Amino acid sequence: MRAVAIVGVGLIGGSFGLALRKAGFTGELIGISSEAALSAGIKAGAIDRSGTLEEAARSAHLIYLSQPVDRILSTIPVLAKVARRDCLITDAGSTKARIVAASMAAHLEPFLGGHPLAGKEQRGAQSADPDLFRHRPYVLTPTTTETDRTREFRFWLEKIGAKVIDMSPTEHDETVAFTSHLPQLLSSALAATLARNENGNVDQVFGQGLLDMTRLALSPPELWKSILSTNSAAVHRALDAFLITLNDLRRSIGAPELAGGFIMANEFAQKIREGST
Amino acid sequence: MRAVAIVGVGLIGGSFGLALRKAGFTGELIGISSEAALSAGIKAGAIDRSGTLEEAARSAHLIYLSQPVDRILSTIPVLAKVARRDCLITDAGSTKARIVAASMAAHLEPFLGGHPLAGKEQRGAQSADPDLFRHRPYVLTPTTTETDRTREFRFWLEKIGAKVIDMSPTEHDETVAFTSHLPQLLSSALAATLARNENGNVDQVFGQGLLDMTRLALSPPELWKSILSTNSAAVHRALDAFLITLNDLRRSIGAPELAGGFIMANEFAQKIREGST
């Protein structure tokens, strides 16, 4: 790849730039973002310089859309007017069906949807980490046949240490409704429940468990608005499934037998740690 | 204190022994536990030797009950038969009202209920940590007047770095229903929901958030049985409050305005981190 344009130089975009550099990418890294994000990105070494969408479409072989979901949806029709067949456009948005549909509707080609399951509570390119994607799942949702450009992008994803998993956009959204959006809602609802509690001790008397369970609630609320609204049907299904299970556990409180759900939960929590580093 | 007897040499009991040693306690540390726990405790340096409840009641100035809640409830009437006025009995059980009531019913004196909000997912004295209580809340639920023995115990809690907070047993239980038991139920219910999901991708496609949100589900399920059953009314109140808040957030999915609960949650999550190290 000659040059890569990163649209939205935040934690993910900045980390992608740093990761490419660390993996040996020698082409130019062009950032398209707010002034503050561009400064932070240049300072962090995640991008070389700033540019415009029009210029990026002319000079880059890859355009990486790492904005929030609603911003990606706004960028797609603009980008469709200037895109060239020789430049692959991919995104890192947290939901995929709506974004992939928007790219088709705008005839944005070639487009390959993606979602790195990577992140941390710190935001911005100043927190970017070249190892952010290492050993983490990176979902791709191909809707067209592979080309040299898509193969090249996959090559670099492997080089930055990501575990690439291909899924359809709806499979992806159905899965992250359970593994990401449901946990986010539970974390925020738990923190809001405690915030509403008038017992002055709830922000004093707690252990590490509450810190774990409220870490996701630190995520910027405005990001979640577009994630949840672009995946609402699957999120409602995940909430319904959760409420059934919570009710099963609840009914077992004080019963002679411990609910089997506690054992299942324990086994699942162990299982998802086995593959992790 | 001449000697301290630790009944239940697991993570908490073992850490208490190590913490006392590190803080300069030179008296004897006697462990009363299973064979395996005693071996692990001696190996870790958390206890000096094993003993019996009868002997501990004769020779110790402090008996520290660090068993699961149901085991503490079984130990109390046995201990009441051999206890001396010169030996303070305290416990580290996760709920307090039932234990304090049991100590009164058995005329176990002098008794001071306690609960260190400290822990980690590893179990047993082999995971004991002399700094486990450092900067963590340690609730005491005094139901009688202070004596030299209770003052001495408080002195050692300060020495091991715990933040001592006095509450009534019911205030404690009401608080931890929200800050500990509710988070535990949510973590277990989340992990069980995913375990029940037939989508083969849910144990592959996830980020750090799911690991955070399922860490509590790693807690031994059998411990939770007695914690929840000895605090069931408060736990049901916490669940009811949570469900109202979750429903508020749920209704805002796809709505033009983000639910205020997300902002409140974010602020609360930040606030409880400000005091932490």
Side-chain angles (χ1 to χ4, degrees), chain B residues 1-4 56 59-63 84 86-88 149 152:
Chain B
M1 299 187 293
R2 191 169 53 206
V4 171
S59 60
H61 280 160
L62 178 74
I63 297 182
R84 285 175 313 107
D86 189 38
C87 173
L88 176 67
R149 283 276 169 262
E152 194 175 16

Side-chain angles (χ1 to χ4, degrees), chain A residues 136 175 179 196 199 201 203 205-206 211-212 215 218 225 236 240 245 248 250 255-256 266 271 273, chain B residues 136 167 175 179 196 199 203 205-206 211-212 215 218 225 236 240 248 250 255-256 266 271 273:
Chain A
R136 300 302 325 154
T175 302
T179 64
R196 282 172 170 179
N199 173 347
N201 294 308
D203 58 2
V205 177
F206 60 85
L211 294 175
D212 291 335
R215 195 189 69 96
L218 293 171
K225 190 168 156 47
H236 282 297
D240 288 338
T245 305
D248 286 350
R250 181 176 192 161
N266 187 276
K271 178 172 144 193
R273 280 157 174 82
Chain B
R136 301 302 323 155
M167 303 173 80
T175 302
T179 65
R196 282 173 171 178
N199 174 345
D203 57 3
V205 178
F206 59 86
L211 294 175
D212 291 336
R215 195 190 69 95
L218 294 170
K225 189 167 159 47
H236 283 296
D240 287 339
D248 285 351
R250 180 176 194 162
N266 187 277
K271 179 172 144 193
R273 281 157 173 81

